[in-house]
Amino acid sequence: MSSSDRAAELRELLNEASIAYHVDDQPVMDDAAYDVLYDELKALEDADPSLVTPDSPTQRVGAPLSDKFQKVRHLLPMGSLEKVTTDEALQKWEDDMRKRLGTDDAIAYVVEPKIDGSAINLTYENGRFARGLTRGDGIQGEDVTPNLRTIKTIPLQMRRTDAPPTLEVRGEVYMPLDGFRAANEALAKDGKATWPNPRNAAAGSLRQKDSTITAARPLSIWVYGTGFREGLDLETHWETLQWLRERGFPTNPFAQRLESIAEVAELVRDWELRRTTLDYEIDGIVIKVDSYEQQERLGALHERPRWARAFKWAPMTATTRLNEIRIRVGRTGNLNPWAVLEPVEVGGVTISRATLHNEEDINRKDIREGDDVIVQRAGDVIPQVVGPAGKHRRGTKPFQMPTHCPLCGVEVVKPEGEVMHRCPNRACPSRGLETLNNWVMGAADIDGVGEQTVWRLWQQEMVRSIPELYRLTGEQLLELDGFGEISANNAIAAIQASKAIPFFRVLFGLNIPDVGWITARNLALHFGNVDALMNATQEELIEAEGIGPERAEAIAEWFRDDDNRRLVAELRDLGLRFETGEEEKPVEGPLTGNQYVITGTLEGFTRSEAQAALEELGAKVSDSVSSKTTGVIVGEEPGKSKVTKAEKAGVPKLTEADLLKLLGRG
DNA sequence: CTGCCTCGAGTTCG
DNA sequence: CTCGAGGCAG
């Protein structure tokens, strides 16, 4: 066999293997075999450069750079889609089409997720990838062929031999979310500006001058149709998708053919809830009339097809003005910057504030007061400021943490190597107030007293410490607006009843640095009572689970403080519990040694009921998934990260029915 | 020393 | 939920 025949054979084998691996998810050869063939091809090409063809897999990386991107006309313009945002608009669209088509015509639709990425036009000549353009203005785009070649899911050579002479394939290049996060981390590490969202990341990566940079970016593509085509005899859009799929193009697996607009509306609603379960961002659903004959009869209006719509949901990100950065001082003295935002709607709720974590984070993102910023609610509920919107900045000076505590005026400290600034003043009013809040709403969980009440009691100087809370009388409460006889009595009763909370909750509520729920519990179990804990040496403290030198020192230091010892004594006199009760000790049971994580909402239990039931049988319940987790109990609307983590770690997912079986109540 | 795992702390809106 | 950091095993 001549080396040119062998090179052609290798190209074909490797391209086929690439489609099977990246598009079909059904590898036909293992990685080692691929490498051997690849190396053989590379050697042939190195020996005789005339054997190199554009569709050779060796051309995916390191292709020659172009000075600038050439503008090239699309063979068929890339139009944009009319958008709809409501069910009514969807129905109106169909009514209008019915009028034009004749009311007896059945209309079938093809729907698929609308990927938030960068639209791309790929030209294939006799089945070979020849050129790829960005959408540009829809008439002409920029030639980014070398960069597109680096995307493994784009076939360099179509599968099958029936390729039309010229074919434009349209698709959306996107960056998967986990790749997006990783790419941003890498950029941040190099001190470079990060991408505000995956769409910008995809578009920006495609416009790299150096295609080796593009090659390093985790880009992928979903192909959604064709542009210019000749010699292709298909009658429906659905057939076209199948045709493309069979020839090695990645079409979105969630594309569906539906028989009525009612089904379309239902699917749109369904997907709005499921959108965050995908590994890429979608901002709506694209809906197309399936029949080409109907498409032709409907035609277009102002360059926009009458036979297609983009249903767009309320955006998950928005741009708004950052009016001010304010500081809140937490119960441990940490200074916490947060953003006062011009209220803006994101994903259906109005956002007016967001945490900014710490000074480093703010300056890494380069956020300044007065900037327009991008705000998002990614999957979860909690809004974040992603970064400044575009290059245009209004803010002038970079953010700086205040040098003195805004509440007590004491100079703030930032320990070497740590990220957070702290107010070192243990008498700082913020600590007292936040400690009280944490007691009322966390440790003791007192019904009928909330943040508002705590704040007013604080302001009126009625309650400034936990013991004062227990000395509060109904008469005093009545002086506050909004308290009547009944509510005051109920509140006092709830406060008094909370004296019975178990020792570990008291311990948690004392606000010892580095001691949260779990550590408090471990300490309570290990030492049994407060005296043993208070008098423990460093060495003895380290014996307890989860305690190392750092926490041991923090705990010892806290108990050395006279004010703190007085607090303990006072609470003890008031009748709070400082010994671990029998009922708090973990039980041996059939589930001892098992560790579960619960996510989402269960039908028959609250989360804490389920936890208590499992613990009763000896199981442990934690809230982070790892390889040590026995099983993740998945309820309705589960946390996405927990489910993916479980899948990655190979941890079994359990349903509520499985849980019942576990508890022996199946 | 390194890399997992776990815990702590702060968090938004309706 | 996410981030940072302490604990701990290998």
Side-chain angles (χ1 to χ4, degrees), chain A residues 197-249:
Chain A
N197 56 51
R199 184 186 57 244
N200 287 16
S205 298
L206 277 182
R207 296 189 79 263
Q208 290 293 325
K209 293 279 158 62
D210 178 353
S211 69
T212 57
I213 294 179
T214 312
R217 299 273 163 73
L219 296 176
S220 197
I221 190 171
W222 292 124
V223 154
Y224 57 73
T226 58
F228 178 85
R229 52 203 254 182
E230 51 182 7
L232 195 57
D233 193 20
L234 299 167
E235 288 181 359
T236 66
H237 179 57
W238 186 242
E239 279 173 40
T240 300
L241 287 180
Q242 309 313 310
W243 189 91
L244 288 166
R245 185 80 179 77
E246 283 160 10
R247 275 143 195 86
F249 291 99

Side-chain angles (χ1 to χ4, degrees), chain A residues 100-268:
Chain A
R100 291 171 188 277
L101 291 173
T103 46
D104 292 341
D105 282 27
I107 306 178
Y109 301 91
V110 173
V111 294
E112 63 179 294
K114 184 173 185 301
I115 316 295
D116 208 6
S118 184
I120 284 298
N121 183 23
L122 309 167
T123 304
Y124 283 78
E125 283 168 357
N126 298 314
R128 178 185 283 179
F129 176 47
R131 189 168 50 256
L133 310 176
T134 61
R135 179 172 179 281
D137 59 6
I139 304 298
Q140 47 180 3
E142 289 179 318
D143 186 337
V144 290
T145 310
N147 290 339
L148 286 169
R149 269 190 214 290
T150 67
I151 300 174
K152 301 273 199 322
T153 41
I154 294 180
L156 297 176
Q157 174 72 47
M158 278 168 50
R159 192 143 63 182
R160 308 236 177 160
T161 51
D162 58 355
T166 306
L167 174 69
E168 284 184 331
V169 176
R170 304 277 165 86
E172 191 87 1
V173 167
Y174 67 96
M175 189 176 282
L177 289 171
D178 52 359
F180 168 70
R181 288 185 205 109
N184 258 354
E185 268 168 38
L187 286 171
K189 208 173 255 175
D190 296 347
K192 293 189 186 137
T194 52
W195 305 108
N197 56 51
R199 184 186 57 244
N200 287 16
S205 298
L206 277 182
R207 296 189 79 263
Q208 290 293 325
K209 293 279 158 62
D210 178 353
S211 69
T212 57
I213 294 179
T214 312
R217 299 273 163 73
L219 296 176
S220 197
I221 190 171
W222 292 124
V223 154
Y224 57 73
T226 58
F228 178 85
R229 52 203 254 182
E230 51 182 7
L232 195 57
D233 193 20
L234 299 167
E235 288 181 359
T236 66
H237 179 57
W238 186 242
E239 279 173 40
T240 300
L241 287 180
Q242 309 313 310
W243 189 91
L244 288 166
R245 185 80 179 77
E246 283 160 10
R247 275 143 195 86
F249 291 99
T251 56
N252 192 288
F254 297 107
Q256 276 188 62
R257 187 174 183 278
L258 298 175
E259 302 288 348
S260 76
I261 202 76
E263 284 174 62
V264 171
E266 195 184 323
L267 177 130
V268 166

Side-chain angles (χ1 to χ4, degrees), chain A residues 80-120:
Chain A
S80 53
L81 294 182
E82 188 87 23
K83 66 176 184 194
V84 291
T85 55
T86 61
D87 280 8
E88 293 73 46
L90 204 56
Q91 188 58 54
K92 195 168 162 287
W93 174 47
E94 193 188 59
D95 294 346
D96 178 62
M97 286 195 297
R98 287 212 171 281
K99 262 182 235 151
R100 291 171 188 277
L101 291 173
T103 46
D104 292 341
D105 282 27
I107 306 178
Y109 301 91
V110 173
V111 294
E112 63 179 294
K114 184 173 185 301
I115 316 295
D116 208 6
S118 184
I120 284 298

Side-chain angles (χ1 to χ4, degrees), chain A residues 261-322:
Chain A
I261 202 76
E263 284 174 62
V264 171
E266 195 184 323
L267 177 130
V268 166
R269 269 195 299 278
D270 195 32
W271 267 106
E272 184 167 16
L273 300 174
R274 284 167 61 197
R275 66 197 284 199
T276 56
T277 63
L278 294 173
D279 185 36
Y280 43 86
E281 285 201 341
I282 63 176
D283 59 351
I285 298 286
V286 175
I287 308 152
K288 291 175 183 154
V289 170
D290 189 29
S291 153
Y292 284 151
E293 184 266 332
Q294 288 179 336
Q295 286 189 7
E296 256 162 57
R297 279 201 281 150
L298 287 163
L301 178 69
H302 308 312
E303 310 279 316
R304 290 167 177 214
R306 284 206 188 87
W307 43 266
R309 287 292 183 272
F311 195 111
K312 286 189 106 178
W313 300 304
M316 298 293 274
T317 69
T319 299
T320 192
R321 179 78 68 86
L322 196 173

Side-chain angles (χ1 to χ4, degrees), chain A residues 534 563-575 578:
Chain A
M534 193 152 34
D563 290 337
N564 291 336
R565 295 178 84 102
R566 248 194 306 277
L567 173 65
V568 170
E570 226 177 321
L571 288 175
R572 200 184 231 173
D573 287 344
L574 281 162
F578 282 90

Side-chain angles (χ1 to χ4, degrees), chain A residues 321-360:
Chain A
R321 179 78 68 86
L322 196 173
N323 289 325
E324 196 189 341
I325 297 176
R326 288 196 202 159
I327 307 294
R328 184 180 162 130
V329 183
R331 72 184 165 97
T332 56
N334 283 340
L335 266 63
N336 232 265
W338 55 281
V340 182
L341 302 166
E342 197 58 40
V344 64
E345 185 158 319
V346 185
V349 298
T350 307
I351 305 293
S352 56
R353 47 160 84 178
T355 176
L356 294 170
H357 304 297
N358 55 58
E359 184 185 55
E360 221 170 88

Side-chain angles (χ1 to χ4, degrees), chain A residues 453-519:
Chain A
T453 309
V454 171
W455 173 233
R456 283 187 295 163
L457 288 169
W458 180 272
Q459 265 186 324
Q460 303 292 315
E461 297 186 34
M462 288 182 189
V463 176
R464 292 247 160 148
S465 69
I466 301 168
E468 282 174 22
L469 180 70
Y470 287 100
R471 288 195 286 262
L472 185 70
T473 63
E475 289 75 52
Q476 284 177 295
L477 255 187
L478 278 170
E479 290 172 33
L480 291 186
D481 288 343
F483 273 98
E485 197 83 31
I486 294 174
S487 56
N489 282 340
N490 284 345
I492 297 294
I495 291 169
Q496 293 305 317
S498 74
K499 282 181 179 172
I501 56 171
F503 176 37
F504 83 92
R505 298 190 75 119
V506 175
L507 205 47
F508 168 65
L510 291 177
N511 209 13
I512 304 167
D514 269 0
V515 177
W517 284 110
I518 310 279
T519 305

Side-chain angles (χ1 to χ4, degrees), chain A residues 32-103:
Chain A
Y34 185 93
D35 288 346
V36 168
L37 296 181
Y38 184 96
D39 290 345
E40 185 188 345
L41 178 60
K42 187 87 178 70
L44 285 172
E45 290 177 350
D46 286 348
D48 180 358
S50 75
L51 294 179
V52 178
T53 63
D55 64 333
S56 166
T58 62
Q59 298 307 295
R60 283 205 190 264
V61 282
L65 332 173
S66 56
D67 267 351
K68 59 171 193 262
F69 303 108
Q70 291 288 337
K71 296 240 176 182
V72 179
R73 279 183 86 86
H74 300 295
L75 298 177
L76 203 69
M78 291 182 83
S80 53
L81 294 182
E82 188 87 23
K83 66 176 184 194
V84 291
T85 55
T86 61
D87 280 8
E88 293 73 46
L90 204 56
Q91 188 58 54
K92 195 168 162 287
W93 174 47
E94 193 188 59
D95 294 346
D96 178 62
M97 286 195 297
R98 287 212 171 281
K99 262 182 235 151
R100 291 171 188 277
L101 291 173
T103 46

